Amino acid sequence: MADQFAGLGGAALAVDLYQTQPPASEVKEARKLMKKAMSSKDELLEHLQQSCRYLEQEYPNLKRATVGWCFGGMWALQASLVYPMDCTIIYYGHLVTEAAALSPLKGPVLGIFGALDKGIKLDHVKEFEEALQEAGKTHEICIIEGADHAFANPSSKLYNKEAADAAW
């Protein structure tokens, strides 16, 4: 995905949230790494801030955005809350639903969610959208009909090419 973003004319940095080499190749292994990462949230947030600072230093004239899917979607939002970016893109990640907590966001927010997702429920997405409105944040929330969680992940059994293309 970083190559696709870079191909649009910008710089892209794919941050390894698990900070492992090589990356997980099995879902079970990825879940273990995710659990481990969640046990050190402050370190993970610092890692993301360092990544944001790096992009700002290396490419001072480019606009910067955070983007993430699922676990990464949650952290794209968290990174933008502590290191305000020009844009935040969340693909079916866990959300913040308190307007005051969203006040540090600098740029617009794009949230992309599957209508069939049982993990990120549409009621929660609606609460997120209401909090963004209350905080006065520019945003667009897209609900992709017929799409489940991980619909844009080609390695997922829930992958939905049509939905992924529509979201892109």
Side-chain angles (χ1 to χ4, degrees):
M1 292 307 301
D3 290 340
Q4 286 181 279
F5 282 110
L8 296 173
L13 179 65
V15 179
D16 179 3
L17 296 176
Y18 303 139
Q19 301 180 51
T20 60
Q21 288 297 327
S25 59
E26 300 288 326
V27 173
K28 195 173 187 178
E29 183 183 356
R31 280 194 185 116
K32 282 183 188 176
L33 292 171
M34 185 172 64
K35 188 174 182 177
K36 181 180 177 189
M38 289 300 288
S39 71
S40 55
K41 290 180 184 178
D42 291 340
E43 289 175 28
L44 183 52
L45 204 49
E46 178 56 33
H47 181 60
L48 287 166
Q49 287 178 300
Q50 288 172 5
S51 299
C52 293
R53 281 193 293 273
Y54 170 80
L55 279 176
E56 187 173 37
Q57 291 166 359
E58 292 295 313
Y59 304 97
N61 298 320
L62 292 179
K63 292 194 179 281
R64 287 167 296 283
T66 57
V67 61
W69 292 257
C70 189
F71 182 67
M74 174 185 74
W75 286 104
L77 177 59
Q78 292 300 315
S80 288
L81 289 170
V82 297
Y83 201 96
M85 302 297 274
D86 296 305
C87 180
T88 304
I89 304 169
I90 306 159
Y91 274 79
Y92 43 81
H94 286 276
L95 305 168
V96 173
T97 58
E98 296 172 10
L102 295 169
S103 66
L105 292 171
K106 173 181 162 188
V109 175
L110 172 60
I112 305 168
F113 305 90
L116 304 177
D117 194 331
K118 294 169 194 70
I120 312 296
K121 297 187 184 327
L122 292 182
D123 288 349
H124 199 65
V125 173
K126 180 79 171 154
E127 290 173 19
F128 175 60
E129 184 172 27
E130 290 169 356
L132 286 166
Q133 287 172 341
E134 185 179 330
K137 302 301 173 182
T138 301
H139 65 280
E140 183 175 347
I141 302 298
C142 299
I143 307 297
I144 309 293
E145 293 301 322
D148 207 323
H149 191 80
F151 71 84
N153 180 351
S155 67
S156 168
K157 64 182 179 187
L158 299 174
Y159 178 63
N160 180 330
K161 182 175 177 8
E162 185 178 309
D165 289 348
W168 182 253

